[in-house]
Amino acid sequence: MSVPNITLNDGNTIPQLGFGVFQMDPDKTEELVAEALRVGYRHIDTAAIYGNEEGVGRAIAKSGIPREELFVTTKLWNDRQTDAAAALDESLDKLGLEYVDLYLIHWPTPAKGTYVVAWQQLIELQKQGKAKSIGVSNFELEHLDQLELKTDVKPAVNQVELHPYLQRWRELDAFRAHTVAIEAWGPLGQGKSDILDAPEVTDAAAAHDVSPAQVVIRWHLQNGVILFPKSATPSRIAENFDVFGFELTEDEMAAITALDEGEEGRGGPHPNDMNDA
Ligand code: NAD
């Protein structure tokens, strides 16, 4: 079982499949991340706002896995966009790390007008080696345009809501044309949608003798997307990583792609409407 690496626009590589810890109970995070590392995950996606960076850090420290074999992402929360250096230091302290592999601006919060300032600070943090790669999350093309106009560093990734009900390939392919890799958040619909019950998904699951979640993870992987599904259940943590022994056919891929509902399928806020701290 081997997770492909994707090469980012700065030359660094990222494991295409990782483990996300959004809404993971801080008291359970250490044990669940330890389980993920035991299963074989080497890429962990957290954020300052998740409140569980300490648990991620303890699991990493106790794992004995060499630091260079791990890929750790955290994110700058919205109320720290003008204060990114201190915010990253706090995250590094909680994670018990000298550097993160990827540091993201969590949301553009365009009404605040500070995401370009935040990006300029992330560029400095990358130069200092505190973040090997830097990127953005929930950015629209107009926000990328501003970064390109005002700085000469492009984000390595854009982490956006992406699943069979919300695909937006026209926009995402435009990001890719600017060499920005796409990461999917909510790749399984966050357990809020009925995506895992869709016949297009369950039929493919039956055909390959795998679970609906494994089919959706495969669909993302075969689309070249980076993802880190979350689970707090050890059997599902293992299942979500066991996705390299089968391949969806072109017809199965197309049937799932046809489930796109556009904006109707969005489960979280539109990035332009998210301006909260
Ligand atoms: P997800 O799509 O990964 O869904 C997780 C839920 O799916 C679980 O809670 C469970 O209900 C269900 N599930 C997981 N594995 C399953 C299985 N094998 N079978 C059946 N059901 C299963 O949602 P997510 O956690 O929101 O997204 C993944 C990661 O993306 C997060 O943990 C976080 O790291 C990141 N994220 C980022 C943002 C952002 O704004 N940048 C927002 C949300 C999430």
Side-chain angles (χ1 to χ4, degrees):
M1 185 148 42
S2 124
V3 179
N5 276 321
I6 301 248
T7 301
L8 301 173
N9 62 14
D10 58 12
N12 293 329
T13 58
I14 181 171
Q16 196 183 356
L17 181 64
F19 185 63
V21 299
F22 177 49
Q23 290 182 330
M24 192 169 278
D25 181 345
D27 292 336
K28 303 247 170 69
T29 302
E30 177 183 340
E31 112 193 31
L32 291 166
V33 172
E35 178 63 16
L37 295 172
R38 199 188 59 72
V39 163
Y41 292 84
R42 290 294 179 266
H43 166 184
I44 311 291
D45 185 274
T46 185
I49 195 69
Y50 300 171
N52 55 22
E53 287 169 312
E54 283 108 330
V56 172
R58 281 195 300 272
I60 288 173
K62 289 185 188 166
S63 73
I65 299 168
R67 175 67 185 91
E68 62 276 12
E69 289 177 22
L70 294 169
F71 192 101
V72 181
T73 299
T74 196
K75 312 186 191 86
L76 174 70
W77 188 240
N78 305 340
D79 61 354
R80 306 299 295 274
Q81 285 191 348
T82 57
D83 183 26
L88 178 55
D89 279 344
E90 287 164 29
S91 285
L92 289 173
D93 197 42
K94 289 179 179 162
L95 288 162
L97 298 176
E98 303 278 308
Y99 66 89
V100 286
D101 297 277
L102 181 59
Y103 196 42
L104 304 181
I105 299 176
H106 206 143
W107 291 86
T109 59
K112 289 184 205 279
T114 50
Y115 65 82
V116 174
V117 171
W119 186 243
Q120 286 161 338
Q121 295 168 79
L122 263 59
I123 291 170
E124 287 309 308
L125 293 168
Q126 184 181 30
K127 283 185 190 149
Q128 291 167 19
K130 290 187 174 180
K132 298 281 180 200
S133 293
I134 53 175
V136 296
S137 178
N138 300 301
F139 270 46
E140 297 288 299
L141 276 170
E142 72 226 48
H143 309 132
L144 176 69
D145 284 347
Q146 288 303 309
L147 301 190
E148 291 195 348
L149 213 63
K150 302 200 171 119
T151 75
D152 55 7
V153 180
K154 289 185 190 189
V157 309
N158 187 17
Q159 184 180 123
V160 296
E161 181 181 348
L162 175 61
H163 45 72
Y165 287 160
L166 177 69
Q167 300 184 35
R168 302 174 75 229
W169 287 116
R170 203 164 53 81
E171 290 89 343
L172 299 184
D173 283 343
F175 269 94
R176 285 170 154 172
H178 286 258
T179 74
V180 180
I182 301 301
E183 295 191 332
W185 68 252
L188 303 175
Q190 300 192 293
K192 298 194 288 204
S193 83
D194 60 2
I195 189 65
L196 300 182
D197 299 322
E200 292 79 354
V201 173
T202 55
D203 286 355
H208 294 279
D209 196 18
V210 296
S211 73
Q214 287 171 311
V215 165
V216 174
I217 292 167
R218 239 357 272 186
W219 175 80
H220 285 286
L221 291 171
Q222 289 179 220
N223 279 327
V225 164
I226 300 158
L227 73 159
F228 20 82
K230 172 228 169 175
S231 175
T233 308
S235 60
R236 287 177 169 177
I237 292 174
E239 174 185 318
N240 294 348
F241 195 69
D242 182 15
V243 289
F244 298 100
F246 71 103
E247 200 167 330
L248 299 177
T249 64
E250 261 180 49
D251 285 351
E252 289 165 342
M253 288 292 290
I256 298 170
T257 300
L259 293 171
D260 189 12
E261 295 177 351
E263 278 301 315
E264 293 277 299
R266 193 183 282 281
H270 188 283
N272 281 334
D273 299 332
M274 174 71 175
N275 287 294
D276 307 339

